[in-house]
């Protein structure tokens, strides 16, 4: 490429313009996803008249599949489509999903009954969202690092800026979608889905218009193009079936139909998704640990990844109550009346992203300030679980000895979300970095799949646990632990996260030895 292109896209100071294109694209996609997620369980219980238990389980199945599909989307992009095509296709599928949910919400008539068409539209909308997320999410993140030459010191700062884009969208989505959709009238939920769909279209348009011009390498070479093997087929005069529009559309519809079916069967027939995910983790472990080419030291590091992934399940299954049981708690048992305005329950879903924006720089400064005393990654993750447990201790005290028909102050939810966000900042970015550092090159993608699978298992478990929340005075139990009120329910998560935190702290030194092991 000529020097003028290089100078235009790679300023000597600051960041390439492509970063801000990806920032905007991701921001609007997160606006769409988190806005929809904030009102999803409210829509199911208020407009579709699903029970709390059914809605919670379905929520867990949906979010679990959302974490699974990037494995498919990343594979297809790497081998056939490239990042750019996958991002656009994924974004359009998510927009279609939101518009289907808009039509689903438009059929609400207040009669207390739900037609078969409404149910079909609802599951179809979720299916398109799941498929679209799979193609969008893994591909846009991978483009950020490709904007910079190897060894460029700006990469860490670039991911920090990109992470801020995620959280700006995560804060705005629930706020806007809640403002127009969570009004107290179930007929208005449709406007939240419409707002999410429009946000997703804005994301696609930004990416489509500016990707060729600005999403390029430091020397001006376009990023995210179709893989070389497919380009060679096209250059030879043959047409690659993977780029055929008809085959693409039919394939995507088949894939979406499969996810719709998986979601429906898991929710209505047999809850198999959790077992399927666990089986996938065990299968991957078998493949890796039986590989004779791996050195003993490499197997020790892989073992660390599996161990921390196990503890991650306890964190996210409690953390992801935010969109399920905690969302219902905000709606039903939180005093949101300010006198002049009633705060929509869905607005509390913005708190996590707002707190990330406020406190991420603080945590980054803190780790640097500690210097040699900075805790090792497993210790940080144990601290994250501990902060999560403290969050549940805080809100459990807020509902202790409080009747189900009594509403408590918003301060209990706000304080809990602050503690949970601090826990997330100790665990989420640290864990992802740990997987990247410890994974042998041969199994880098497969071990990243383990991390996503752990998140998928956790999200599914979050829905299962949310379904156990005692409502209307009906008791429930989990592994022999009896719950008769919300205090008991929140103490379950305190116990899970607290015990996991203590065990991980005790294992930290041994894990550090395994991470730093040398070849004999």
């Amino acid at each position: 490429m000529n020097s003028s292109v290089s100078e235009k896209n790679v300023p000597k100071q600051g960041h390439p313009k492509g970063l801000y294109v990806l920032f905007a694209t991701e921001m609007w996609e997160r606006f769409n996803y988190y806005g929809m997620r904030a009102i999803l369980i409210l829509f199911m219980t208020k407009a579709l008249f699903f029970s709390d238990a059914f809605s919670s389980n379905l929520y867990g199945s949906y979010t679990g599949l959302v974490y699974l599909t990037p494995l498919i989307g990343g594979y297809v992009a790497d081998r056939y489509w490239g990042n750019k095509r996958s991002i656009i296709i994924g974004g359009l599928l998510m927009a279609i999903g939101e518009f289907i949910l808009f039509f689903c919400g438009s059929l609400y008539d207040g009669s207390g009954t739900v037609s078969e068409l409404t149910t079909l539209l609802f599951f179809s909308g979720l299916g398109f969202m799941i498929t679209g997320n799979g193609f969008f999410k893994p591909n846009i993140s991978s483009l950020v690092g490709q904007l910079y030459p190897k060894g460029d010191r700006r990469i860490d700062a670039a991911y920090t800026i990109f992470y801020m884009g995620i959280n700006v969208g995560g804060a705005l989505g629930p706020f806007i979608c809640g403002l127009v959709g969570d009004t107290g009238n179930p007929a208005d939920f449709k406007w939240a889905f419409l707002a999410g769909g429009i946000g997703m279209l804005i994301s696609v348009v930004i990416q489509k218009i500016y990707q060729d011009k600005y999403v390029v390498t430091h020397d001006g070479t376009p990023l995210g193009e179709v893989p070389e093997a497919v380009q060679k087929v096209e250059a030879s005069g043959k047409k690659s079936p993977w780029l055929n529009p008809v085959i693409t559309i039919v394939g995507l519809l088949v894939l979406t139909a499969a996810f719709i079916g998986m979601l429906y069967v898991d929710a209505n027939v047999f809850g198999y998704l959790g077992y399927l995910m666990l089986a996938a983790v065990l299968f991957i472990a078998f493949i890796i640990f039986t590989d004779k080419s791996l050195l003993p030291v490499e197997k020790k590091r892989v073992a660390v990844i599996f161990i921390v992934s196990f503890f991650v399940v306890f964190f996210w299954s409690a953390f992801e109550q935010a969109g399920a049981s905690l969302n219902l708690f905000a709606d039903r048992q939180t005093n949101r009346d300010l006198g002049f305005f009633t705060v929509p329950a869905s607005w509390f879903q913005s708190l996590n992203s707002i707190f990330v924006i406020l406190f991420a720089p603080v945590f980054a400064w803190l780790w640097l300030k500690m210097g040699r005393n900075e805790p090792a990654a497993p210790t940080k993750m144990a601290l994250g679980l501990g902060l999560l447990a403290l969050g549940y201790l805080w809100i459990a005290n807020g509902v202790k000895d409080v009747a189900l028909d009594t509403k408590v102050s918003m301060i209990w939810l706000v304080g809990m979300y602050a503690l949970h966000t601090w826990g997330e900042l100790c665990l989420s970015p640290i864990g992802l970095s740990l997987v990247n550092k410890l994974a042998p090159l041969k199994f880098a993608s497969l071990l990243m799949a383990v991390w996503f699978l752990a998140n998928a298992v956790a999200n599914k478990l979050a829905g299962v646990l949310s379904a156990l929340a005692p409502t209307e005075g009906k008791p429930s139990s989990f592994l022999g632990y009896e719950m008769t009120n919300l205090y008991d329910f929140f103490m379950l998560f305190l116990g899970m996260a607290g015990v996991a935190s203590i065990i991980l702290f005790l294992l930290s030194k041994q894990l550090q030895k395994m991470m730093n092991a040398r070849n004999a």
Side-chain angles (χ1 to χ4, degrees):
M1 298 295 291
N2 61 52
S3 60
S4 62
V5 174
S6 179
E7 290 172 5
K8 182 177 182 180
N9 292 289
V10 192
K12 293 179 180 179
Q13 294 182 345
H15 292 274
K17 293 179 181 178
L19 176 63
Y20 301 103
V21 173
L22 297 178
F23 175 102
T25 302
E26 177 73 352
M27 183 191 78
W28 282 107
E29 186 276 331
R30 292 290 88 183
F31 171 96
N32 154 73
Y33 176 77
Y34 282 109
M36 177 267 196
R37 173 179 170 269
I39 57 96
L40 181 58
I41 202 164
L42 302 176
F43 177 70
M44 286 192 277
T45 53
K46 292 183 176 183
L48 300 181
F49 309 106
F50 293 163
S51 68
D52 287 1
F54 181 83
S55 300
S56 293
N57 274 305
L58 184 54
Y59 171 86
S61 300
Y62 166 71
T63 54
L65 284 171
V66 159
Y67 272 95
L68 272 182
T69 50
L71 304 179
I72 298 173
Y75 179 87
V76 172
D78 286 345
R79 286 161 177 78
Y80 307 112
W81 286 355
N83 301 124
K84 291 198 303 190
R85 181 184 293 261
S86 297
I87 290 168
I88 299 300
I89 288 174
L92 289 174
L93 286 171
M94 280 191 282
I96 290 170
E98 290 280 30
F99 293 135
I100 291 174
L101 291 171
F102 168 71
F103 288 120
C104 172
S106 299
L107 296 178
Y108 174 82
D109 59 9
S111 65
T113 59
V114 178
S115 67
E116 291 184 2
L117 175 60
T118 300
T119 303
L120 175 62
L121 287 173
F122 179 67
F123 278 92
S124 297
L126 294 184
F128 274 92
M129 289 285 289
I130 290 167
T131 308
N133 179 83
F135 287 100
F136 187 100
K137 190 62 182 168
N139 290 296
I140 191 161
S141 299
S142 68
L143 284 178
V144 175
Q146 297 177 46
L147 290 168
Y148 301 85
K150 288 185 178 181
D152 194 313
R153 296 179 63 184
R154 296 174 296 170
I155 291 179
D156 286 347
Y159 271 106
T160 301
I161 294 170
F162 183 71
Y163 193 56
M164 288 299 128
I166 292 174
N167 286 287
V168 169
L172 287 175
F175 180 79
I176 299 298
C177 292
L179 185 66
V180 299
D182 187 14
T183 64
N185 179 3
D188 288 337
F189 280 122
K190 62 186 178 185
W191 302 117
F193 296 128
L194 181 62
I198 292 171
M200 195 65 247
L201 284 182
I202 294 173
S203 173
V204 171
V205 169
I206 290 172
Q207 184 68 16
K208 184 63 178 174
I209 291 176
Y210 295 110
Q211 63 183 7
D212 290 334
K213 187 175 183 181
Y214 295 120
V215 183
V216 297
T217 64
H218 63 285
D219 61 0
T221 304
L223 287 171
E225 298 293 335
V226 173
E228 285 186 15
V230 178
Q231 288 184 31
K232 288 178 181 177
V233 172
E234 292 282 309
S236 68
K238 298 177 182 179
K239 290 294 181 182
S240 172
W242 298 102
L243 302 183
N244 185 302
V246 175
I247 293 177
T248 297
I249 292 171
V250 171
L252 289 171
L253 289 176
V254 169
L255 186 62
T256 301
F259 286 127
I260 294 169
M262 290 171 68
L263 197 61
Y264 185 84
V265 171
D266 185 73
N268 290 282
V269 182
F270 172 63
Y272 68 93
L273 272 178
Y275 301 108
L276 179 65
M277 294 169 187
L278 283 171
V281 172
L282 293 174
F283 180 67
I284 293 173
F286 175 79
I287 290 174
I288 295 175
F289 285 108
T290 56
D291 189 299
K292 294 180 180 179
S293 68
L294 279 187
L295 298 171
V297 65
E298 291 178 312
K299 288 186 178 181
K300 286 182 180 180
R301 290 171 184 161
V302 169
V304 173
I305 293 174
F306 276 91
I307 291 168
V308 297
S309 295
F310 172 75
F311 284 99
V312 157
V313 171
F314 291 95
F315 183 89
W316 292 116
S317 61
F319 186 92
E320 286 298 328
Q321 294 302 310
S325 63
L326 290 171
N327 208 359
L328 293 175
F329 175 77
D331 181 62
R332 299 169 183 174
Q333 285 196 256
T334 301
N335 182 8
R336 297 174 284 110
D337 188 359
L338 300 178
F340 61 92
F341 177 71
T342 300
V343 177
S346 51
W347 278 17
F348 289 92
Q349 300 297 297
S350 292
L351 287 175
N352 174 241
S353 291
I354 292 171
F355 286 142
V356 166
I357 293 169
L358 290 175
F359 292 109
V362 176
F363 275 77
W365 171 84
L366 179 63
W367 302 138
L368 287 173
K369 189 71 175 176
M370 294 180 76
R372 292 183 179 180
N373 296 318
E374 181 183 354
T379 307
K380 288 181 182 177
M381 297 176 77
L383 179 61
L385 278 160
L387 288 167
L388 183 81
L390 286 177
Y392 275 106
L393 177 62
W394 171 262
I395 198 167
N397 282 322
V399 299
K400 190 175 183 180
D401 301 323
V402 173
L404 281 172
D405 58 352
T406 302
K407 295 187 176 184
V408 300
S409 169
M410 290 187 286
I411 193 63
W412 299 110
L413 268 177
V414 174
M416 183 209 66
Y417 279 127
L419 285 162
H420 283 190
T421 302
W422 297 348
E424 179 191 2
L425 290 170
C426 289
L427 181 137
S428 183
I430 306 304
L432 198 58
S433 174
L434 191 68
V435 174
N436 280 313
K437 290 176 182 176
L438 296 182
L441 186 61
K442 181 178 180 180
F443 291 115
S445 297
L446 204 55
L447 285 166
M448 190 55 69
V450 170
W451 181 260
F452 280 114
L453 277 168
N455 281 270
V457 171
N459 275 269
K460 175 57 186 171
L461 181 58
V464 172
L465 293 174
S466 175
L468 300 176
T471 55
E472 301 174 356
K474 296 178 182 177
S476 61
S477 65
F478 180 70
L479 298 178
Y481 175 70
E482 297 291 330
M483 295 173 282
T484 58
N485 51 49
L486 281 173
Y487 174 79
D488 295 337
F489 179 67
F490 292 140
M491 289 300 287
L492 168 66
F493 296 104
L494 168 65
M496 285 173 53
V499 170
S501 174
I502 292 169
I503 294 174
L504 188 53
F505 266 123
L506 295 174
L507 289 175
S508 289
K509 286 189 177 180
Q510 181 60 36
L511 292 175
Q512 288 176 53
K513 289 180 182 178
M514 294 167 69
M515 289 162 54
N516 299 320
R518 304 283 182 186
N519 287 321

